Every structure is written in structure tokens, then in C-alpha cells.
Amino acid sequence: MDLALPTGQVVVCDPFTGLGPFAPVPFTAAVRPGRYSVTLAVASFDNDGVPTQVAAAARLSVTDAPVTGWELALVDDQEVADLGEREFFGYETDHGDVCFVDASAVSALAEHEDWLIEALAAHAAADFGLPPVKAVGPAGEEIAAFTTGRGRGFYPTWVGRTDNGDVASFVTDFLVLEKPSTTSGGPS
């Protein structure tokens, strides 16, 4: 699915606790206003004889150019130098629900909670066979929402950059495969 970013200022948060007046601020890395693709990477594994699927990561793709470097997505007043080994800045989700949204849409989309609850339940019930859910606000504001399948957690987002330093993508990592390290250089 694609997502409109009219200001190019990206916010990643829990759509039920992160939208509205107490929403997080956008990342300092911004992109040109436009429409960008959102996809999920799904991990499948055997959980004591029960086939299980969870979202391992979600990507907001800005360009098809190769990513040559990764950095932790930061908001104002955050510095990687303030982190200890294997620490990261991120966002919290109460039930494993996450969204990508343009900063300009955060307040208007806080009113879509009832519809979004049903849509995300259907997303999880389909074992992630559905694309992320798109909600549209009263003035055309959009949100790309999905469930991780992992429940409550605290997760980092990474910025992938091209060889000339442009933003190629944002990847939010649900820590399915390995705990991140601030020295690891981001997702692979």
C-alpha cells in the first residue's frame, strides 16, 4: 500500500496511544512530500508445534536506490552519543499496533480509533496476509497501520540512506531476529 506524506515529516507510533494531542514529534530525517510504499516483513516459525507468524519489520520506502548506510531515527534533542551499548531510542506500543503517519495528520486521525480497531483485528486474523491498513481522515489525512503480532513492546526505527546521503527508507524493527545495537549499523 502507499501512504501520503504531505509534509515529508514522518512519525512512527502506536495509533491508539500515539495520535492526538500527546503524539510524538516527527523524526529529524524528513523526505520530499509525496506518496511512498509501506510493506511488512513477516517472520514465520514453529512455536511448540504451532505455526506462527509475526511482523519482523515494516518499511516505508522512499526510493529504490540502494541503502548504503543505516542510522537510528531520532527526534529533536536525541543524540546517539547519549546511548549506552545496545540501547536505542524508539517508541512504545501497548498492544503491538504501529503506524507510519505524516506529522500533519496526527491530530485529525486520533478520531478513527473504532474503525482502526476492527481493521487491525482483521489484519492480525489474516496472519499478515493483508497489506498494512490505510485509514483516511476527514481532510484526506492518511495513516498506514499494522499489528506486529508481538504485543506490548519498545521498538527502534532506522533510517536507510543512499550513497549521496538521501533518505531511502525508514524501517521500524520489531526485534524478532535479534536485539539491535547502536553500533550494529541498523537492519540488514
Side-chain angles (χ1 to χ4, degrees):
M1 71 149 292
D2 64 335
L3 175 67
L5 295 176
T7 69
Q9 296 178 308
V10 178
V11 173
V12 178
C13 64
D14 182 315
F16 300 112
T17 60
L19 298 177
F22 303 107
V25 295
F27 295 126
T28 54
V31 299
R32 271 188 267 179
R35 297 193 76 76
Y36 300 104
S37 173
V38 177
T39 56
L40 293 178
V42 177
S44 300
F45 57 93
D46 185 318
N47 187 10
D48 292 326
V50 177
T52 304
Q53 290 188 320
V54 296
R59 177 186 300 252
L60 176 84
S61 298
V62 178
T63 180
D64 290 335
V67 172
T68 59
W70 292 97
E71 63 192 47
L72 192 59
L74 303 173
V75 299
D76 286 337
D77 299 327
Q78 290 180 334
E79 297 287 337
V80 172
D82 294 338
L83 297 170
E85 186 176 337
R86 303 191 64 77
E87 290 183 329
F88 58 88
F89 294 111
Y91 59 93
E92 186 172 11
T93 175
D94 284 346
H95 301 286
D97 301 311
V98 180
C99 70
F100 286 112
V101 63
D102 188 86
S104 67
V106 168
S107 293
L109 288 170
E111 304 300 319
H112 285 276
E113 188 169 300
D114 290 341
W115 177 86
L116 198 53
I117 289 170
E118 291 178 28
L120 286 172
H123 184 261
D127 287 331
F128 307 98
L130 298 174
V133 173
K134 184 190 299 189
V136 180
E141 307 92 348
E142 295 180 6
I143 181 175
F146 38 89
T147 185
T148 68
R150 298 196 23 101
R152 184 182 185 102
F154 188 77
Y155 303 111
T157 300
W158 299 92
V159 178
R161 296 209 180 254
T162 64
D163 60 356
N164 65 359
D166 291 338
V167 174
S169 63
F170 292 87
V171 173
T172 189
D173 182 356
F174 303 125
L175 308 179
V176 171
L177 303 177
E178 175 181 322
K179 295 283 187 194
S181 167
T182 57
T183 60
S184 72
S188 53

